[in-house]
Amino acid sequence: MPDQQQIFSTLKEYFGYDSFRPLQQDIINSIFNGKDNLVIMPTGGGKSICYQLPALLLPGATLVISPLIALMKDQVDGLRTNGISAAFINSSQAASEQQDIYQKLIDREIKLLYVAPESLSFLDTILSRIEVSLIAIDEAHCISAWGHDFRPAYTQLGYLKNRFPKIPLIALTATADKATRQDICTQLNISNATQHLASFDRENLSLEVRPGNKRIEQIIDFLTDKPNDSGIIYCLSRKATQMLAEKLQNQGFIAEAYHAGIAHEKRSSVQEGFINDTIQIVCATIAFGMGIDKSNVRWVIHYNLPKNIEGYYQEIGRAGRDGLPSSTLLFHSYADVVQLQKFADMSGNKEVQLAKLDRMKQYAESLSCRRKILLSYFGELIEKDCGNCDVCKNPPTFIDGTIITQKTLSTLVRIKEQEPIGTIIDVLRGAQNTAIHEKGYQRIKTYGIGNDISWRDWQQYIIQLINQGYIEIAFHQNNKLKLTERSKKVLFEGEKVSLAHLKEFEKIKEVAAAQSKKVKANTLFDKLRELRLGLAKEAGIPAYQIFNDATLKEMEQQRPMTDAEFIQINGVGKQKMQDYGYQFIKAIIDFSKEKTKKKKSPKKGNTHKETLSLYRDGLSIEEIALKRKLAQSTIFSHITKLYQEGEPIDLRQFVDKEDINAIKKAKIELNDPEGLKPYFEHFEETIDYNTIRLALNIIEQEDRIAK
Ligand code: ADP
Ligand code: MG
């Protein structure tokens, strides 16, 4: 068994890393002790090294079972860039190619052999002619019908342990639940396996949930400060993936759809393009992403509510594998819940599915730290709130919701608990549609008493009431809303109800297509990224396989300018040092020279002057914001400042005439108040601060002229 020193030097030499992530070292040692192992680690946790590193130090070859043929190539390419000899066998290869690999295996020239479970049977002869030292089964949950990705071909893998009883077997998965774990061990015949259960916390992923209205606008807004970042948008239906990709294309994004109904070649080309950084966004059904190891996915959006937390967590886990901060956003809509309920109803194990969906809903509707809920699902308790989810960042404030609740409940009473949420809201808001009129609901007493609250807000409030137990949904009666024991307390005993105050999603104006255009590279990180892309294209491999984003970031911070400094960077191993060290060091030196030169030339003035020069070049506010990587509101404040300093800027171009007039009126009505907030509140947050500020400047100017 190799000593720890040897293990660490292998980690640095071949993978470029200085330290292990949690559990990796224990798992590796357990393999060297000849044990079977079951590894449960979240997506992006670093499972691969657990078998790849031992493979390098063990005498024979390591057999890796991996579910998707298409992805083996990437994994093998990745190993090769690290100077590790690896190959894959699958049915798409020519016989001569396979013969070649067999020969290399016999000659002990290959350390890792990737195989799809389907191909195992025809490997039997060759397996008897080589020394196998380790067997790794990746995505091992595919063996279990309890898991969420069951693959029939995996069920034959039980034979491996019988065939190689003395060889350590390691099964790896990101699916944590107990039933699945048990099932994996039983089916693989490794009931004595040591289980390694890693923390499921992925601190670098921010969590956010928003109501699913105006999703496209929200997505475009979300993307404006991420013009170069790769991301995935998961949708429930194939149609939605296509619609969304098209909309994003129209906005100038490089986006493609991906789902099982798309022709195979097209699908592979989308996947390739995404991996190689030539396609920025993939709008996909859950068919996309399994086993994709792209480490620089910077964000994941769920356009629809996922059907369970396992799936959701695995999907968001595809963001930020390199450990850098990454964003996730989930849209929650009641329509999705109803749809998923229908699916669950039709499925074989309905109760389980419904219970899982319920947990998903609780997560989406939570008013306390979301990460706590996620982790508790995987049996982990954290003491402190995470500080990196929307609830922690922006804790809800509560309002007295008693009247809102009374209005809702008495509507339920009057329509005899015979309607689902949509109709209830229609009644409360006094909607004029045929369904309402046919049933005569316009005559009941509460009709229209809630028209001061928007449809979306009613929906959110009612969801809160459901969560607090004041209302129940009868899923088996077309989702009719029903009263509960608790609702009686409000109706008859004067119980007070507290509801979370709803935050307004800031209205986004039409976003110019120009906004999504690529920002020209200007930081060292951008330069290194460009260099990496060029090298990757030359080598025909994904960019992140050369160095991942975390490694580039470290280069940006440390600025290594000699070989000795360069090899210190986390993520730089021996092979990559040899292959790419020179070019990266040169880029860093060039960049530093360039910067010094710039510093000597006359200084660029202060920040709003920079805005001015771009404005004079004819760029719109959106374009300036994008180019300067600043918020539009900041640019607006620059413009106002410039205007106040006497720059001839016509502010009228930025504000609607109607808004100016309304603000003029408000100014009189409110008696010329101090600051902007009184206006903002006066208009019930429908006119934003920028507009108010600009309009007030315009009005003052008019006054001055009039005088
Ligand atoms: P998983 O299979 O668990 O989803 P991977 O094995 O693909 O995760 O690893 C995710 C990312 O983490 C990869 O980019 C990998 O290079 C990186 N990584 C793994 N181990 C370490 C480590 N000890 N230090 C730094 N990065 C690591
Ligand atoms: Mg993996």
Side-chain angles (χ1 to χ4, degrees), residues 1 13 65 106 111 117 120 174 194 198 200 284 292 310 339 352-353 434 502 515 529 563 628 640 656 670:
M1 177 176 162
E13 181 178 342
I65 315 295
I106 293 165
K111 293 263 68 163
L120 252 190
T194 312
F200 267 62
I292 286 192
E310 284 101 326
Q339 177 78 0
V352 180
Q353 305 274 356
T434 36
L502 302 174
Q515 227 173 344
R529 222 155 80 143
D563 283 7
R628 300 207 52 201
T640 319
D656 275 352
L670 299 172

Side-chain angles (χ1 to χ4, degrees), residues 17 19-21 24 42-49 295 321 548:
Y17 299 130
S19 56
F20 283 108
R21 292 217 181 130
Q24 286 178 331
T43 310
K47 290 187 280 294
S48 325
I49 282 182
S295 70
R321 281 174 185 248
N548 68 21

Side-chain angles (χ1 to χ4, degrees), residues 11 15-22 24 41-52 75 82 138-139 172-174 202 292-296 317 320-323 544 548 550 570-571:
L11 179 68
F15 301 96
Y17 299 130
D18 300 321
S19 56
F20 283 108
R21 292 217 181 130
Q24 286 178 331
M41 218 184 248
T43 310
K47 290 187 280 294
S48 325
I49 282 182
C50 300
Y51 57 85
Q52 289 171 347
Q75 304 191 344
N82 280 326
D138 206 2
E139 313 286 356
L172 310 103
T173 172
R202 296 275 312 279
I292 286 192
D293 289 341
K294 180 177 167 67
S295 70
N296 62 339
R321 281 174 185 248
D322 49 19
Y544 66 85
N548 68 21
N570 206 23

